[in-house]
Amino acid sequence: MNDTTPPHMAAMLLTGHGDIDQLVYQQDVPTPTPATGEVLVKVTATAKNNTDRKAREGLYPTKDKNDVASFAMGGTPTLTFPRIQGADVVGRVVAVGRDVDISRIGERGLLDFNLYGSQRRDLNLTPDYYGHGADGGFAEYIAVPSDQFHHIANPDLADAELAAMGMCSYQTAYHMMTSASISAGEHVLVTGASGGVGTALIQLCRIVGAIPYALSQGDKADALFALGAEAVLDRADMHNFTEQVKAVTGGAPIDAVMDLAGGKMTDLFIDTMIFDMNARQSYPRLSIAGASAGNVSEIMWTRIYLYQVQLFGVSHGTREEAEQLMEWIRQGRLKPVLHAAFRLSELHQAERYFVNRGTNYLGKIVIVPDSEWAQHGAPFALESISTLALEAAQ
Ligand SMILES: NC(=O)c1ccc[n+]([C@@H]2O[C@H](COP(=O)([O-])OP(=O)(O)OC[C@H]3O[C@@H](n4cnc5c(N)ncnc54)[C@H](OP(=O)(O)O)[C@@H]3O)[C@@H](O)[C@H]2O)c1
């Protein structure tokens, strides 16, 4: 650690499963020390993700749907308390551990948020992440592996904007697509389209030459078109959904669905792929990475196996996918979709705003340490929010 790094830092501690009162802001948390192979990062912006709330509330049951549980893919639960959440971290290297080149000090970078279970570059079987199984970025400093803190110079990209392109959304989106082998020219239905993963999916479809159809809400249509959506369908009206889809695809079936909604909606999504199997050139594919509309879907297995629907469960992604995404960010091929920034000490307000989001909410909320607010947060502060959203956030 260098001499100017303070021994204590401000951080938001998650003290247990439950409501936002479990989040406690403290200014005397020991600053981490970089271990061998790690860099110490002074945090300037960390994006909020759905998983912060889900992990806090224990909404990751895998056996009994009523369980209060979080990730335990390696066999044992890794979320222990107190924990600093926040996965998608941007900042600058201020110190290095042993075996890390000192020239890295000063680099601005974006964290690949995974706690990888192995060195495999093409496989990630036990998804876990900074902010869950280890401390994350809702703090002034974080120590992370040097090879997962990716240098992104791009001076045209503000730190808060870079955080909005964090891997929790982008790597998940990309892995949904690679799992389903999405290729150029394919019609892809993107659900939860205005969210962090959805906005990433629309952009990534365009990068690989696929045609994204967004399922969202009417007030977000213009922004989704601007991002690359071929058409925007309104989830408030799912009546004759397949007919609505045919109207925008020119009668063609959806080749693959990127499903972040789940619940009762998924069965309707399957219809859009199987209504005319003779018109298809490939198997119907359903990539699932979220459940914003419900964690349980009733689907007849005959629909899955007779129509040969291929199912892909997706959590996070691989090292090589993260590296590809970092390269696309450097090349300016991905655009940040940043909704607003909040101060770290106001994380409770940000959580309420995130849950009770109003109209025109698109993309990401970013959290900025109070000590960095003037430079990295204030330019992206929420300037005008609807009365409803404002009341909800109080
Ligand atoms: N498996 C993974 O590795 C992974 C990683 C990241 C996220 N996730 C999960 O993926 C989902 C999306 O994450 P995110 O970060 O994109 O979340 P987000 O930014 O909160 O966006 C979620 C979007 O889902 C849509 N939505 C909300 N309620 C809905 C409902 N009742 N029915 C249908 N759609 C609804 C909304 O978009 P519209 O208004 O546009 O419809 C909303 O903006 C969440 O369930 C999250 O936990 C999983």
Side-chain angles (χ1 to χ4, degrees):
M1 225 150 41
N2 70 34
D3 293 341
T4 57
T5 308
H8 294 96
M9 64 175 186
M12 188 66 77
L13 301 181
L14 177 65
T15 55
H17 284 302
D19 207 344
I20 51 175
D21 58 352
Q22 296 291 340
L23 292 167
V24 179
Y25 187 60
Q26 286 192 4
Q27 305 204 56
D28 57 353
V29 177
T31 303
T33 305
T36 301
E38 288 188 337
V39 290
L40 181 69
V41 173
K42 189 169 199 298
V43 178
T44 52
T46 297
K48 258 197 61 51
N49 285 288
N50 242 304
T51 192
D52 304 324
R53 178 182 64 87
K54 285 190 166 181
R56 168 168 53 75
E57 294 184 8
L59 298 182
Y60 288 114
T62 51
K63 289 197 174 126
D64 181 338
K65 64 184 178 190
N66 298 313
D67 279 351
V68 173
S70 199
F71 290 34
M73 272 64 245
T76 18
T78 56
L79 177 59
T80 55
F81 303 109
R83 173 67 76 224
I84 300 170
Q85 296 187 288
D88 291 324
V89 183
V90 169
R92 279 166 188 71
V93 176
V94 291
V96 297
R98 282 181 56 183
D99 299 341
V100 181
D101 198 319
I102 201 161
S103 68
R104 296 213 49 189
I105 291 177
E107 263 182 20
R108 195 268 297 258
L110 171 62
L111 177 67
D112 169 0
F113 77 128
N114 287 280
L115 290 164
Y116 291 109
S118 79
Q119 286 302 315
R120 284 280 296 263
R121 291 173 40 72
D122 60 337
L123 196 68
N124 182 6
L125 288 175
T126 54
D128 198 358
Y129 61 95
Y130 283 91
H132 182 276
D135 284 340
F138 292 158
E140 290 181 304
Y141 293 89
I142 183 174
V144 293
S146 60
D147 63 348
Q148 285 181 234
F149 192 69
H150 294 266
H151 185 202
I152 312 269
N154 303 43
D156 52 330
L157 211 50
D159 287 20
E161 292 176 315
L162 182 55
M165 294 194 283
M167 292 299 111
C168 185
S169 290
Y170 279 74
Q171 190 194 40
T172 302
Y174 191 37
H175 194 56
M176 290 174 85
M177 291 170 56
T178 58
S179 298
S181 305
I182 301 300
S183 59
E186 289 199 308
H187 301 274
V188 178
L189 178 65
V190 174
T191 75
S194 70
V197 184
T199 52
L201 278 164
I202 291 170
Q203 297 185 62
L204 290 166
C205 277
R206 288 300 182 187
I207 285 183
V208 304
I211 308 163
Y213 296 87
L215 180 66
S216 182
Q217 298 179 87
D219 61 306
K220 301 172 183 173
D222 288 348
L224 293 169
F225 279 123
L227 213 52
E230 182 76 6
V232 180
L233 298 144
D234 191 343
R235 68 172 156 94
D237 174 20
M238 300 293 283
H239 185 63
N240 282 339
F241 187 61
T242 298
E243 293 306 314
Q244 292 190 44
V245 167
K246 283 160 82 172
V248 294
T249 61
I254 291 293
D255 292 299
V257 177
M258 303 293 109
D259 191 10
L260 300 161
K264 289 185 180 151
M265 287 184 167
T266 299
D267 217 23
L268 299 176
F269 304 152
I270 292 174
D271 286 338
T272 68
M273 297 194 285
I274 65 173
F275 63 83
D276 181 2
M277 292 303 286
N278 292 311
R280 297 195 62 91
Q281 304 298 322
S282 60
Y283 292 114
R285 285 150 282 152
L286 176 64
S287 266
I288 302 165
S292 295
N295 195 22
V296 178
S297 305
E298 187 176 291
I299 296 169
M300 289 164 63
W301 284 116
T302 40
R303 279 161 62 74
I304 302 293
Y305 68 77
L306 290 178
Y307 289 100
Q308 304 182 79
V309 178
Q310 298 181 335
L311 300 183
F312 303 94
V314 169
S315 264
H316 308 188
T318 65
R319 289 177 192 269
E320 55 192 20
E321 286 165 344
E323 286 160 17
Q324 172 65 81
L325 288 159
M326 298 289 179
E327 198 47 42
W328 280 333
I329 293 173
R330 287 187 196 103
Q331 293 168 0
R333 297 185 70 187
L334 293 167
K335 303 286 174 223
V337 188
L338 172 57
H339 180 69
F342 285 75
R343 286 182 179 81
L344 177 59
S345 62
E346 293 173 347
L347 184 61
H348 302 86
Q349 191 183 354
E351 288 282 343
R352 280 193 289 265
Y353 182 77
F354 183 73
V355 171
N356 302 304
R357 59 188 71 176
T359 52
N360 296 318
Y361 181 115
L362 209 84
K364 305 297 290 184
I365 279 181
V366 163
I367 305 300
V368 173
D370 295 38
S371 52
E372 301 286 335
W373 179 255
Q375 186 180 354
H376 297 291
F380 304 99
L382 208 52
E383 280 176 0
S384 56
I385 54 177
S386 71
T387 313
L388 188 65
L390 187 58
E391 281 168 8
Q394 296 305 317

